[in-house]
Amino acid sequence: IGLDYKVNQDVMLYLASRRGYKSGGFNTRSTTMPTFAPEYLTDIEVGLKSQFSLGAADARLNAAVFRGEYSDIQQTQILNVGGDFQSVITNASEATIQGVEIEGTLLTPIGLELSGYYNYLDASYGQCILGAFDCTGQKFEKVPENKYSITGKYTIPLSGTMGDIDLSATYAWQSDIFLNLTVLNDPTNYQSAYGLVNLRADWNDFMGNPVRLSAFMTNATDETYQVWHIGTYQSFGYGSGQFGEPRMWGFQVSADF
């Protein structure tokens, strides 16, 4: 359900509440836990959507405060059943998520566009039992408490039918996280705060044709960061995981029909 209230033609307030679910299913390889139940999320959100002028620039600002209640969260576990390690999905926990989101855009008359967002998220489990591990009260894994991103794009118009060129740069930062809920005593199960820089250049309507030529570079500063972790530290003395993509660059050609 949702309610909207227009303060004027440029400002709208809203209130929304939703209930969603993820369907249950079957653990086809498990003899002890053959099925798992649906997962449910009920949330409420209060927000603001606005547009206005800052001098000669056009601006947009949106903000929201939200809270969600999970029940019967589906968790994947590795269980030892008679010496046979089985991957099963169980309904292991309840959780609460709450936070704030702010996003904005500024369009200037000189071809420069600035945009960004900030997100604060407090996500923690209520009742949570994963096999022999009690995760009650723990924070969500892989969920940073704070995130923000800033993007600048500058458009250069070319003469005649040559098209235009967009130059853009994005910096995205997130606070520290842990990566695996069930191995909290592993010192390698942690990723400190980091930021990524992405760069891009697009030549639109190339020479009057519906063609776009692009060059890009992701993770321009070649930041090293962990995105996935498995708990091998207690058994072998070292952590195992997967890292994010290193610096990459390339070219693209696209056409509109």
Side-chain angles (χ1 to χ4, degrees):
I1 59 173
L3 296 173
D4 298 339
Y5 174 69
K6 284 193 173 183
V7 179
N8 54 48
Q9 64 179 2
D10 296 325
V11 178
M12 183 185 76
L13 305 176
Y14 69 90
L15 169 67
S17 180
R18 297 158 291 242
R19 181 171 173 83
Y21 77 99
K22 183 191 296 183
S23 63
F26 299 90
N27 291 307
T28 56
R29 294 188 63 248
S30 175
T31 56
T32 58
M33 296 182 178
T35 64
F36 54 93
E39 170 185 307
Y40 293 95
L41 170 64
T42 303
D43 79 340
I44 185 168
E45 179 178 336
V46 179
L48 161 76
K49 295 182 182 293
S50 66
Q51 58 185 19
F52 50 93
S53 296
L54 285 176
D58 294 325
R60 184 181 73 245
L61 179 65
N62 301 329
V65 178
F66 59 88
R67 179 182 174 90
E69 299 286 347
Y70 277 102
S71 61
D72 291 326
I73 294 181
Q74 296 169 6
Q75 298 276 8
T76 300
Q77 302 181 52
I78 305 297
L79 300 180
N80 185 349
V81 181
D84 178 25
F85 288 91
Q86 300 177 356
S87 175
V88 299
I89 298 175
T90 63
N91 299 97
S93 51
E94 300 173 349
T96 299
I97 59 172
Q98 55 191 358
V100 177
E101 293 180 343
I102 302 172
E103 62 173 356
T105 302
L106 184 68
L107 300 173
T108 73
I110 60 173
L112 177 63
E113 177 182 334
L114 300 174
S115 61
Y117 76 85
Y118 168 74
N119 179 274
Y120 168 77
L121 184 61
D122 175 19
S124 58
Y125 292 98
Q127 178 185 355
C128 177
I129 303 296
L130 292 174
F133 182 78
D134 185 356
C135 50
T136 300
Q138 294 289 347
K139 296 290 187 179
F140 273 30
E141 66 275 36
K142 303 178 185 177
V143 176
E145 190 171 70
N146 293 281
K147 292 175 64 175
Y148 70 83
S149 174
I150 302 172
T151 298
K153 184 174 75 171
Y154 183 62
T155 299
I156 304 172
L158 303 178
S159 61
T161 59
M162 294 180 63
D164 59 69
I165 294 176
D166 290 334
L167 303 176
S168 63
T170 297
Y171 179 73
W173 179 92
Q174 68 170 50
S175 57
D176 58 286
I177 57 173
F178 70 93
L179 297 143
N180 190 319
L181 182 63
T182 61
V183 288
L184 298 182
N185 294 323
D186 179 350
T188 66
N189 181 32
Y190 173 80
Q191 173 58 53
S192 59
Y194 65 91
L196 300 179
V197 177
N198 297 325
L199 306 173
R200 187 176 183 89
D202 296 298
W203 189 343
N204 305 302
D205 298 323
F206 175 68
M207 305 304 290
N209 298 298
V211 174
R212 179 184 300 108
L213 305 181
S214 305
F216 66 89
M217 179 179 290
T218 58
N219 192 6
T221 58
D222 205 20
E223 187 78 20
T224 300
Y225 59 100
Q226 192 177 183
V227 296
W228 180 81
H229 186 84
I230 188 170
T232 57
Y233 181 82
Q234 298 298 331
S235 299
F236 302 104
Y238 61 85
S240 300
Q242 178 180 341
F243 288 83
E245 295 176 340
R247 179 193 297 121
M248 297 194 301
W249 59 271
F251 302 94
Q252 295 173 332
V253 179
S254 57
D256 297 323
F257 296 97

